[in-house]
Amino acid sequence: MSSKRIFTTPTLAEKHSGIPDRLIDKARAAKSLVYEGKTTSDTTPRQRGIAIPQGISKQRFFEAIEELKKELGSENVELNDKELKEGWYMEHPNTHDMMPILDSEELVASALVYPGSTEEVVKIVRWANKFKVPIFPISMGRNLGYGGAAPRVRGSVTIDLGRRMNKILNIDPDDYTCLVEPGVSYYALYEELQKRGYQHMWIDTPDLGGGSVLGNAVDRGVGYTPYGDHWACHSGLEVVLPTGEVVRAGMGALPGNNTWQSFPYGFGPYSDGIFSQSNYGIVTKLGMTLMPNPGGYESFMYTFQNESDLAPLIEIIRPLRISNILENVAQLRHALQTVAIKGKPRSTYWTGEGVMPQEVYHKELKKMPVGDCEWVYYGMSYGPPHIRKYKLDIIHQEFTKIPGAKRIDPSTLPADEYFWSRDKIAAGIPDLEELLWVNWMPNGSHIAFSPVSPIRGKDAEALYALAKKRHTEAGIDLMPAFCVGLREMHLIVEIVFDSKNEKMRRAADKCLRDMIDDAAALGYGEYRTHLVLMDQVAGTYNWNDNALMRFNEKMKDALDPNGILAPGRCGIWPARYRGRGWEMGQGSGEKSEGEGVAPGAGTRL
Ligand code: ADP
């Protein structure tokens, strides 16, 4: 690709999913790196034609689409019959997974529909029940690493909620809460707070700010301020059930209430939980709490020299984190990521086969402001200077018990150092830098392995060892990050692969599946996963003869008798699909579909 090309990106003013003006230059630079790394055309021609979902004839499907157009207006229904365009983070497709671990045409939608209101979502749901067509809701579709915008069942009709339902319905400057529709990104919410002069409130953002506030919470995503557990920080849902009823959970069920966003529970069973990481409803509104501006903040960074520092360091982190001396999700990253985040392909440093040798990345680190090391800790202290000093002194005393630990003075770091991106994120300012390590491979794509463990040195070591073993076997560079919550930690391992290289895709898939099995054998389970891994991960939560999945299936059949809503998501298959080989696991290869669906089963609404 020509480096002279000007890489424009839609702005927030132009598009709900656009970039804020303050990040335009960063977006341009990031886009140019992504496009430099593409070795083939940005579009994949369709070999297999439009993906008609199983269980309906082609003719009946097109009749159904005509009816949907009548219901919603033909401008709001679109067939997915064109070439598949890959794009990049800021201009992502809503038709398929732009970082496909399977063949690009496997996890694709048959059509897209753009509702403009909850009432229109109800219409879509009723239509899907009538024709027994699978539907798959997305808010923004930037769930990259976990399937992006792709549906689990090939040929589902994707409901792109964000395109027309993207209003910030309320921001309450006294209660520090907001109410949003699916298409509100972290960028949009942050910019709106600034515009309204609400600097006394912070949002919490994930590593990248383009995701949906609602979608991320529903999928139990995390961020890096003390409000980083997004699901825990939400209050209030509006949900369209798979049979078309609309439910408001929590205080929202009480007409005339004024506490929907301030008291999450309401009265009776706490039903919100069944709508996160499930396929039981389409969330059309979500309330979120906002954090008070702590009156100052200060990022800090420590480096550690040895691989073996991991266990003692985690032991030091645990009590500091539980007692809130470490106040946000504590991030301990492998130093290879510090090299990769520069955004250059790995071939810049090394062109050999298999895993990059340690001496190669150590040589690069020595040239960087961070200096040579094996682990990097990114943290943030909140509050006015004297409060911060109290906490930072304790942290320094504890961290430097590890021989060779170094505090990196932020004033020595250049403005383009990744540290400053982490600084923004931990202050609730959405950024666009994290994706740069995706350029490590040509046609760079990523998929995550995210197991949860206790905050203990021996657990960190066990997970690191199994990840390292499987990465070495697969010839994939290991870039782990330990993210420490209050009582547990997630290990996030992003596998970067070339999505146009089938051999590498298969190797990545095998590496992930092996790690999931190895981790489960040691008692670790994933907190979230990619569409193709959901069956396998759900299968590891199998205590008492799969009692939890049987309960989930019972609920699925009761709430969604026709099995139309996101079949298979989180491993929950409706009755019509069960026992027909839809589950994916070790050895599934590129095949995501089963053998048909039960004919005629289900309920007429
Ligand atoms: P992001 O917020 O990162 O852009 P998505 O919009 O893709 O991500 O949401 C993440 C996942 O959560 C989706 O793949 C979908 O399965 C589920 N999801 C998103 N929005 C909704 C919603 N409004 N109702 C139900 N499920 C949703």
Side-chain angles (χ1 to χ4, degrees):
M1 297 274 161
S2 157
S3 57
K4 290 201 188 72
R5 200 164 135 182
I6 295 177
F7 289 103
T8 54
T9 300
T11 62
L12 258 183
E14 291 160 350
K15 219 173 166 189
H16 75 287
S17 57
I19 193 85
D21 291 346
R22 67 183 170 86
L23 291 174
I24 285 177
D25 288 343
K26 240 183 180 178
R28 190 169 290 150
K31 186 173 178 180
S32 87
L33 285 172
V34 170
Y35 277 80
E36 271 169 31
K38 290 188 192 248
T39 60
T40 60
S41 152
D42 200 26
T43 52
T44 309
R46 303 292 289 266
Q47 310 280 349
R48 296 161 70 182
I50 186 167
I52 306 292
Q54 294 202 34
I56 186 167
S57 71
K58 198 166 178 175
Q59 191 192 341
R60 180 95 173 127
F61 176 76
F62 286 120
E63 282 167 24
I65 291 291
E66 284 312 307
E67 191 164 314
L68 188 60
K69 284 183 177 174
K70 281 195 197 112
E71 290 270 3
L72 266 88
S74 54
E75 68 282 14
N76 296 318
V77 181
E78 204 182 333
L79 279 177
N80 180 22
D81 54 1
K82 299 156 206 79
E83 291 187 322
L84 296 172
K85 191 163 165 38
E86 306 300 357
W88 72 294
Y89 180 77
M90 285 310 302
E91 292 158 278
H92 64 294
N94 58 5
T95 44
H96 65 294
D97 186 356
M98 65 172 267
M99 299 191 160
I101 186 81
L102 305 182
D103 178 85
S104 293
E105 284 192 81
E106 195 62 28
L107 298 180
V108 289
S110 54
L112 293 308
V113 55
Y114 305 106
S117 64
T118 301
E119 292 68 36
E120 288 194 353
V121 175
V122 171
K123 282 187 188 171
I124 296 167
V125 164
R126 292 198 181 278
W127 166 88
N129 275 285
K130 177 173 170 190
F131 291 97
K132 303 207 173 57
V133 170
I135 49 177
F136 192 90
I138 58 168
S139 287
M140 196 69 80
R142 286 197 177 121
N143 199 19
L144 304 186
Y146 297 111
R152 170 63 181 85
V153 166
R154 185 166 193 275
S156 298
V157 171
T158 293
I159 309 176
D160 184 339
L161 294 149
R163 184 173 292 191
R164 293 174 64 217
M165 297 174 71
N166 49 43
K167 285 190 285 302
I168 299 171
L169 298 168
N170 189 34
I171 301 178
D172 190 316
D174 301 321
D175 290 346
Y176 294 67
T177 61
C178 63
L179 183 68
V180 294
E181 289 190 322
V184 177
S185 69
Y186 295 95
Y187 293 139
L189 184 58
Y190 173 80
E191 296 303 322
E192 187 62 21
L193 285 177
Q194 307 317 303
K195 201 169 105 194
R196 294 196 198 179
Y198 290 161
Q199 279 80 13
H200 65 295
M201 293 187 289
W202 280 17
I203 68 161
D204 184 277
T205 175
D207 300 279
L208 293 164
S212 152
V213 173
L214 182 155
N216 187 281
V218 162
D219 211 28
R220 299 206 288 265
V222 297
Y224 299 92
T225 73
Y227 279 40
D229 180 345
H230 296 163
W231 182 250
C233 289
H234 96 281
S235 183
L237 294 181
E238 179 184 87
V239 187
V240 177
L241 298 180
T243 42
E245 293 93 340
V246 184
V247 171
R248 287 190 175 180
M251 295 306 294
L254 195 147
N257 83 84
N258 48 14
T259 43
W260 196 18
Q261 271 66 72
S262 43
F263 184 62
Y265 306 121
F267 182 75
Y270 178 57
S271 37
D272 294 39
I274 66 166
F275 299 112
S276 86
Q277 286 194 6
S278 77
N279 48 13
Y280 299 153
I282 301 173
V283 181
T284 44
K285 293 183 179 67
L286 173 119
M288 186 55 91
T289 51
L290 299 167
M291 181 173 139
N293 183 333
Y297 61 90
E298 184 175 346
S299 284
F300 57 93
M301 175 160 86
Y302 283 82
T303 60
F304 302 89
Q305 301 306 308
N306 308 301
E307 221 175 352
S308 58
D309 292 339
L310 176 65
L313 185 55
I314 294 289
E315 289 294 316
I316 288 172
I317 289 172
R318 184 182 58 251
L320 295 178
R321 181 70 188 102
I322 291 176
S323 58
N324 253 328
I325 297 292
L326 294 171
E327 297 159 272
N328 64 343
V329 167
Q331 273 231 9
L332 184 63
R333 293 186 167 220
H334 192 268
L336 182 58
Q337 247 184 6
T338 309
V339 179
I341 197 83
K342 290 280 151 208
K344 295 192 184 138
R346 121 176 165 142
S347 54
T348 317
Y349 312 106
W350 194 62
T351 50
E353 286 282 305
V355 172
M356 179 184 270
Q358 261 181 331
E359 59 273 15
V360 176
Y361 64 81
H362 280 295
K363 195 171 130 218
E364 289 310 313
L365 285 158
K366 279 184 194 137
K367 297 184 218 156
M368 294 169 66
V370 173
D372 195 14
C373 61
E374 197 70 31
W375 299 102
V376 185
Y377 183 96
Y378 295 96
M380 171 74 99
S381 185
Y382 300 95
H386 65 288
I387 304 271
R388 299 201 301 262
K389 182 172 182 331
Y390 173 77
K391 293 175 282 195
L392 289 169
D393 285 349
I394 297 175
I395 293 164
H396 187 73
Q397 191 191 332
E398 292 300 308
F399 278 16
T400 49
K401 285 180 180 164
I402 305 278
K406 271 195 213 125
R407 180 178 172 274
I408 307 293
D409 178 357
S411 68
T412 65
L413 297 173
D416 65 350
E417 173 59 40
Y418 174 64
F419 172 86
W420 296 115
S421 179
R422 293 244 64 90
D423 178 64
K424 283 204 204 88
I425 293 162
I429 306 168
D431 200 22
L432 181 75
E433 194 158 323
E434 185 66 24
L435 55 84
L436 291 182
W437 45 253
V438 169
N439 303 314
W440 196 241
M441 285 289 154
N443 311 302
S445 298
H446 64 101
I447 180 165
F449 168 62
S450 325
V452 175
S453 79
I455 315 169
R456 298 212 191 272
K458 70 177 172 49
D459 295 298
E461 259 177 354
L463 282 170
Y464 181 61
L466 77 81
K468 192 168 174 177
K469 172 171 175 265
R470 293 304 188 180
H471 276 65
T472 306
E473 285 168 8
I476 296 171
D477 293 321
L478 173 61
M479 300 187 207
F482 288 91
C483 298
V484 185
L486 261 186
R487 295 282 189 294
E488 55 69 48
M489 62 186 177
H490 303 6
L491 164 63
I492 308 286
V493 176
E494 289 283 8
I495 291 187
V496 183
F497 64 98
D498 176 351
S499 62
K500 302 284 183 197
N501 179 335
E502 188 181 340
K503 194 166 151 234
M504 196 180 285
R505 282 207 314 264
R506 294 295 88 229
D509 183 84
K510 178 162 185 333
C511 179
L512 282 157
R513 293 195 183 280
D514 287 342
M515 290 193 293
I516 292 167
D517 284 346
D518 292 352
L522 298 173
Y524 307 117
E526 284 66 49
Y527 92 102
R528 187 180 184 189
T529 200
H530 188 282
L531 290 172
V532 303
L533 304 171
M534 286 178 171
D535 296 310
Q536 190 185 349
V537 168
T540 64
Y541 287 77
N542 59 9
W543 181 78
N544 193 15
D545 192 21
N546 290 303
L548 182 62
M549 184 49 80
R550 280 185 278 119
F551 173 71
N552 289 340
E553 287 175 348
K554 221 183 254 181
M555 216 145 41
K556 180 69 179 165
D557 294 343
L559 292 170
D560 185 7
N562 289 323
I564 46 104
L565 185 60
R569 181 160 147 74
C570 295
I572 307 166
W573 290 98
R576 293 181 73 209
Y577 289 76
R578 259 174 247 149
R580 292 169 175 267
W582 284 85
E583 293 83 0
M584 295 185 76
Q586 291 274 17
S588 292
E590 304 261 317
K591 186 173 167 291
S592 69
E593 291 186 279
E595 299 304 321
V597 295
T603 306
R604 225 187 153 80
L605 298 180

